[in-house]
């Protein structure tokens, strides 16, 4: 353990978080605390047979909560995955969800608990105005969230991302009660992540913090959280890549992921508004896509963010103001094995018009310091491919 004592805590901001190595042992108790008697564990296909998933099911079974799993969740889940998850939830007579995994498993698990007994279609609850008030509050089931990656921070979010399979548009489905009742953040669960996923999810956390920090909206609490989140990723992502079993560094990355998701209440920006359509059309890894487009977006926003990033660079121990920060990001990415261009992810120029149109409409676009237009997004894409 590190010299400052074990990295462990019980936090109620922004959700009830049981943080620390080994705390997956408390899974049955977390279900009890959430008022769940018959949970359905929802995760993605890649985790179905993983030892950590089987252990979670063992713990639920030993606690008297049965052993039910739904794992037909693709990396960018859509309404068909949701429909299948709800069918499994109803068939098993479940009364709550354990959302388990990375962003896709967490998002879909939260949405199954939300939508299982709603009468309106899921698209009626997109994060627009007060659309969430259309939902039947009393019909929403509780969920317990257990992240197994350190990236999206979906465990502390009040929304889930769902791709519309007809239009390939990623929609953000929002309701305050989608926020998990209890979160278990056990960094040991992330030790088995493949290096590529460790980097991709870690860069997602970095992108959340970076865009929130640069967003022009006023939210000083998020601003402070974003800044410390950047530092935690800078200092710890190289450590977990070098030693996947460094539990302290894994803990700091797990904190950074949750912090990024809290911070982006302040807004996101062009990194995400480009990454969402690219991911929806080409099925690329979200965090990796964020990392690829990050330097081009920094340059694009430079006039509006140079002073802010000079302050951030100072805090992070990076010399040279904006330029120093930019060079750090380029070097950091390269050292972690992130591709330089979107072409490496299979993205070509043939669908630029479509991506640019979707990017301008994306909910993240409003937080970008420079107003996005179809024209300037196409220029940005050109710099990324």
């Amino acid at each position: 353990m590190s010299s400052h004592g074990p990295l462990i805590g019980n936090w109620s901001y922004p959700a009830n978080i049981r943080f620390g190595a080994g705390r997956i042992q408390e899974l049955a108790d977390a279900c009890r605390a959430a008022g769940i008697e018959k949970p359905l564990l929802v995760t993605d296909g890649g985790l179905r047979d993983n030892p950590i998933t089987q252990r979670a099911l063992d713990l639920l079974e030993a606690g008297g909560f049965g052993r039910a799993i739904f794992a037909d969740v693709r990396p960018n889940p859509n309404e068909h995955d949701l429909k299948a998850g709800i069918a499994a939830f109803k068939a098993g007579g479940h009364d709550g969800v354990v959302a388990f995994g990375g962003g896709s498993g967490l998002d879909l698990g939260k949405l199954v608990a939300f939508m299982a007994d709603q009468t309106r279609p899921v698209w009626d609850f997109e994060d627009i105005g007060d659309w969430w008030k259309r939902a039947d509050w009393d019909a929403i089931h509780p969920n317990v969230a257990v992240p197994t990656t350190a990236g999206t921070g979906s465990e502390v979010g009040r929304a889930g991302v769902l791709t519309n399979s007809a239009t390939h548009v990623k929609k953000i489905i929002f309701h305050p009660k989608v926020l998990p009742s209890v979160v278990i953040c056990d960094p040991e669960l992330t030790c088995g992540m493949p290096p590529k996923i460790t980097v991709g999810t870690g860069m997602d956390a970095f992108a959340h913090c970076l865009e929130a920090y640069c967003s022009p909206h006023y939210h000083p609490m998020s601003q402070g959280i974003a800044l410390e989140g950047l530092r935690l990723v800078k200092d710890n992502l190289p450590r977990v890549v070098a030693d996947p079993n460094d539990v302290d560094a894994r803990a700091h990355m797990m904190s950074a992921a949750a912090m990024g998701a809290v911070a982006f209440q302040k807004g996101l920006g062009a990194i995400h508004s480009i990454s969402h359509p690219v991911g929806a059309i080409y099925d690329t890894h979200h965090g990796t896509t964020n990392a690829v487009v990050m330097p081009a977006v920094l340059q694009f926003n430079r006039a509006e963010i140079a002073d802010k990033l000079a302050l951030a660079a100072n805090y992070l121990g990076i010399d040279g103001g904006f330029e120093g920060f930019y060079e750090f990001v380029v070097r950091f990415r390269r050292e972690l094995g992130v591709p330089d261009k979107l072409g490496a992810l299979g993205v070509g120029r043939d669908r630029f018009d479509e991506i640019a149109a979707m990017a301008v409409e994306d909910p993240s676009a409003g937080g970008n310091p420079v107003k996005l237009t179809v024209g300037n997004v196409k220029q940005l894409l050109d710099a990324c491919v």
Side-chain angles (χ1 to χ4, degrees):
M1 276 306 193
S2 53
S3 56
H4 49 68
L7 301 174
I8 190 162
N10 295 319
W11 306 326
S12 58
Y13 175 73
N16 290 310
I17 302 172
R18 303 183 183 195
F19 189 99
R23 297 198 72 176
I24 188 64
Q25 294 286 6
E26 299 172 34
L27 183 56
D29 186 62
C31 288
R32 213 168 287 118
I36 300 171
E37 291 178 4
K38 200 173 180 193
L40 173 66
L41 188 143
V42 176
T43 192
D44 64 78
L47 279 173
R48 184 197 307 269
D49 301 317
N50 194 292
I52 58 174
T53 313
Q54 295 308 310
R55 181 157 170 244
L57 290 167
D58 291 345
L59 289 163
L60 289 172
E61 196 171 35
F65 289 94
R67 189 186 186 90
I69 181 172
F70 172 78
D72 296 331
V73 180
R74 68 196 87 205
N76 290 299
N78 63 27
E79 75 276 15
H80 301 301
D81 300 336
L82 179 60
K83 189 178 176 185
I86 289 171
F89 186 90
K90 288 185 177 297
H94 298 289
D95 65 347
V97 165
V98 173
F100 189 90
S104 51
L106 294 175
D107 277 6
L108 199 83
K110 294 192 304 183
L111 291 179
V112 167
F114 172 44
M115 287 300 300
D117 286 325
Q118 297 298 325
T119 53
R120 302 178 69 135
V122 67
W123 311 121
D124 282 6
F125 308 115
E126 191 181 345
D127 188 13
I128 295 172
D130 59 1
W131 283 19
W132 62 271
K133 290 183 178 174
R134 299 167 167 181
D136 179 349
W137 184 281
D138 296 326
I140 301 170
H141 297 280
N143 75 81
V144 168
V146 184
T148 63
T149 66
T152 68
S154 181
E155 65 276 7
V156 295
R158 298 170 298 167
V161 177
L162 201 64
T163 300
N164 183 317
S165 65
T167 62
H168 298 298
V169 176
K170 285 191 173 189
K171 297 289 190 182
I172 296 169
I173 310 301
F174 170 86
H175 194 283
K177 215 174 169 183
V178 167
L179 185 74
S181 301
V182 184
V183 179
I184 293 180
C185 282
D186 183 341
E188 288 181 347
L189 299 180
T190 67
C191 289
M193 265 197 295
K196 248 183 155 162
I197 301 296
T198 294
V199 170
T201 53
M203 288 304 292
D204 193 23
F206 192 84
H208 289 159
C209 293
L210 177 61
E211 291 214 286
Y213 180 78
C214 292
S215 158
H217 302 313
Y218 181 73
H219 197 325
M221 285 192 291
S222 286
Q223 194 76 344
I225 289 168
L227 191 56
E228 177 64 1
L230 288 172
R231 188 188 70 80
L232 287 175
V233 177
K234 172 184 177 278
D235 291 353
N236 292 284
L237 186 51
R239 283 177 60 189
V240 293
V241 170
D243 176 6
N245 296 310
D246 183 336
V247 176
D248 275 8
R250 289 281 190 192
H252 290 313
M253 285 304 301
M254 199 162 235
S255 289
M259 290 162 76
V262 174
F264 72 57
Q265 291 176 22
K266 182 172 174 278
L268 288 167
I271 292 173
H272 275 79
S273 65
I274 288 173
S275 179
H276 286 153
V278 167
I281 292 171
Y282 292 96
D283 215 24
T284 57
H285 183 271
H286 172 66
T288 306
T289 314
N290 283 341
V292 173
V293 303
M294 192 178 287
V297 173
L298 284 172
Q299 288 292 1
F300 176 80
N301 287 328
R302 180 176 186 152
E304 298 297 325
I305 62 175
D307 291 350
K308 261 185 189 168
L309 282 181
L311 284 173
N314 196 27
Y315 181 71
L316 297 173
I318 297 167
D319 293 329
F322 173 88
E323 202 54 50
F325 186 91
Y326 173 82
E327 285 167 7
F328 159 75
V329 167
V330 171
R331 189 172 64 250
F332 193 63
R333 271 188 348 156
R334 191 166 295 139
E335 286 168 0
L336 293 168
V338 172
D340 261 347
K341 300 288 184 183
L342 285 174
L345 305 182
V347 180
R349 289 187 158 81
D350 52 325
R351 298 182 76 171
F352 270 14
D353 289 351
E354 193 180 348
I355 293 168
M358 289 163 75
V360 172
E361 293 300 317
D362 191 87
S364 306
N368 199 65
V370 174
K371 186 172 170 55
L372 298 181
T373 65
V374 170
N376 65 21
V377 170
K378 281 168 74 173
Q379 289 177 322
L380 238 181
L381 286 166
D382 207 47
C384 295
V385 172

